[in-house]
């Protein structure tokens, strides 16, 4: 993880599968090479309490100016459908700005890349969601063929209408409503499952 300051912090990190929140074990989560006050360790950033927070004060000296956080997932392997980061109580400059999320069989890996964020949206509010991030989000051009259906309506004020349809790997088909600029606006799309119900999201192994 990286921020624009010499330390990095967040108040909560939540992962979700198709059924809801994924449970983590705060006491098994670690911040290798990091340094935090006693009541602001990594376990305080995954406890579901946004009045507490995790801060890595040695962020600027670690990993070429970054921080490594290992989150321990409870139970069996899950498919990650989305995750959410929350700002801490102060110092907007410490908010995470870019990160790489990976999944592994243990704290020692091996690691499989799940999600990369290069420029997270700014959030002025404190103790607030930075956004919901979707590992299932993929570039359409990499997975799909876009077809545009052009229709003429009887309404003289409506004119021509465009309704794009997306055909994707795994027998996924998405029909999108009319769009003025479908080729421009439909640059990415979520594919949480295939037509036969197969879960296409990355697995936390």
């Amino acid at each position: 993880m990286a921020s624009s300051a010499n330390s990095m912090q967040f108040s909560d990190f939540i992962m979700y599968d198709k059924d809801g929140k994924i449970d983590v074990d705060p006491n098994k989560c670690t911040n290798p090479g990091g340094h935090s006050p006693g009541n602001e360790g990594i376990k305080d950033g995954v406890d579901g309490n946004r009045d507490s927070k995790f801060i890595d004060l040695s962020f600027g000296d670690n990993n070429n100016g970054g921080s490594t956080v290992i989150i321990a997932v409870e139970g069996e392997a899950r498919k990650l459908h989305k995750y959410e980061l929350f700002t801490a109580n102060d110092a907007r400059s410490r908010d995470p700005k870019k990160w790489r999320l990976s999944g592994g069989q243990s704290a020692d890996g091996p690691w499989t890349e799940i999600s990369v964020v290069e420029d997270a949206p700014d959030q002025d509010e404190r103790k607030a969601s930075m956004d919901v991030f979707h590992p299932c989000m993929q570039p359409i051009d990499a997975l799909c063929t876009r077809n545009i259906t052009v229709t003429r309506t009887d309404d003289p004020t409506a004119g021509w209408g465009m309704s794009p349809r997306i055909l994707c790997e795994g027998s996924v088909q998405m029909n999108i409503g009319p769009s003025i600029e479908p080729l421009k606006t439909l640059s990415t799309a979520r594919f949480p499952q295939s037509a036969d119900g197969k879960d296409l999201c990355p697995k936390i192994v």
Side-chain angles (χ1 to χ4, degrees), residues 55-183:
I55 182 170
D56 184 357
L57 296 174
S58 60
F59 174 85
D61 301 322
N62 284 341
N63 303 317
N64 297 318
S67 183
T68 299
V69 173
I70 298 177
I71 307 296
V73 176
E74 294 184 336
E76 60 186 18
R78 308 287 192 87
K79 291 293 189 78
L80 181 63
H81 277 237
K82 58 185 178 181
Y83 63 95
E84 194 170 10
L85 269 169
F86 293 80
T87 59
N89 62 315
D90 60 3
R92 173 180 162 182
S93 63
R94 297 174 183 170
D95 293 349
K97 285 300 296 177
K98 61 181 180 179
W99 59 82
R100 186 182 309 273
L101 179 66
S102 301
Q105 296 180 356
S106 73
D108 299 319
W111 300 103
T112 300
E113 185 178 289
I114 293 175
S115 173
V116 177
V117 173
E118 292 291 345
D119 188 16
D122 292 331
Q123 172 58 276
D124 291 328
E125 291 187 46
R126 301 294 85 196
K127 306 180 187 179
S129 175
M130 294 180 62
D131 206 347
V132 178
F133 302 92
H134 299 274
C136 303
M137 189 79 76
Q138 297 291 341
I140 283 180
D141 289 340
L143 295 176
C144 315
T145 300
R146 288 178 286 189
N147 298 306
I148 299 179
T149 302
V150 181
T151 58
R152 177 74 180 181
T153 70
D154 293 330
D155 184 349
T157 62
W160 294 92
M162 292 182 293
S163 183
R165 184 178 62 162
I166 303 173
L167 303 175
C168 313
E169 289 182 2
S171 301
V172 178
Q173 177 173 320
M174 298 178 65
N175 291 299
I176 312 297
S179 172
I180 296 175
E181 295 181 287
L183 285 175

